[in-house]
């Protein structure tokens, strides 16, 4: 769900510096987990048939205010739900829940630089906890 993470100490990464994905937290199947634990089977419907939807959400760090601004997150979540409906996906969380989850992922990762959130949804069956 995420592609950028601040360097140690909260300082922004240098442009083009590699991303330390081992320290990222993401939302996967309803749980916040380390990125390395978020895996799907190659037999997943989305992998086999391309039945997935996603959005690309930009967040911009404002150093003067010490604040991360996320652009039109609700509108993105409305679109992802509309796209999922077209593919006959059911049981997607509400726009409010999706918005809250995306913001929580950003909060848990403590971004202090620009970030990109890419929430996907697939037709893969959910695993029970």
């Amino acid at each position: 769900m995420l592609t950028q993470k601040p360097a140690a100490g909260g300082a922004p990464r240098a442009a083009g510096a590699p991303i330390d994905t081992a320290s990222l937290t993401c939302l996967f199947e309803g749980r916040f987990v380390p990125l390395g634990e978020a895996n799907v089977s190659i037999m997943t419907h989305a992998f086999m048939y391309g039945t997935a939807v996603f959005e690309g959400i930009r967040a911009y760090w404002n150093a003067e205010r010490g604040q991360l601004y996320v652009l039109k997150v609700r509108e993105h979540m409305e679109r992802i739900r509309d796209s999922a409906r077209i593919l006959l996906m059911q049981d997607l969380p509400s726009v409010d829940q999706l918005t809250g989850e995306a913001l929580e992922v950003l909060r848990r990762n403590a971004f202090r630089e620009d970030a990109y959130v890419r929430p996907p949804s697939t037709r893969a069956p959910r695993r029970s906890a």
Side-chain angles (χ1 to χ4, degrees):
M1 186 169 188
L2 297 171
T3 60
Q4 297 180 19
K5 175 74 175 168
R13 276 185 317 105
I19 299 167
D20 175 19
T21 58
S23 65
L24 288 175
T25 297
C26 67
L27 182 67
F28 181 71
E29 296 184 343
R31 297 181 305 121
F32 292 98
V33 299
L35 183 61
E37 292 180 19
N39 298 301
V40 295
S41 165
I42 62 168
M43 296 305 292
T44 298
H45 200 275
F47 179 78
M48 298 295 288
Y49 304 105
T51 52
V53 297
F54 69 92
E55 280 289 318
I57 305 168
R58 297 293 310 176
Y60 294 96
W61 176 250
N62 183 314
E64 288 179 13
R65 295 185 181 202
Q67 181 71 39
L68 187 66
Y69 291 91
V70 185
L71 296 182
K72 301 191 179 222
V73 67
R74 282 192 61 80
E75 289 88 340
H76 284 289
M77 296 311 178
E78 289 168 357
R79 275 193 301 274
I80 205 168
R81 283 183 50 85
D82 289 345
S83 296
R85 183 181 43 78
I86 290 167
L87 287 180
L88 305 177
M89 294 181 190
Q90 298 176 356
D91 301 326
L92 237 62
S94 69
V95 169
D96 288 338
Q97 184 176 343
L98 291 169
T99 299
E101 290 170 346
L103 297 176
E104 180 64 14
V105 167
L106 288 167
R107 187 194 67 74
R108 286 179 183 234
N109 283 285
F111 286 98
R112 296 181 57 84
E113 66 178 345
D114 296 350
Y116 178 73
V117 180
R118 189 173 188 256
S121 186
T122 70
R123 291 187 64 158
R126 299 216 181 256
R127 297 179 194 150
S128 47

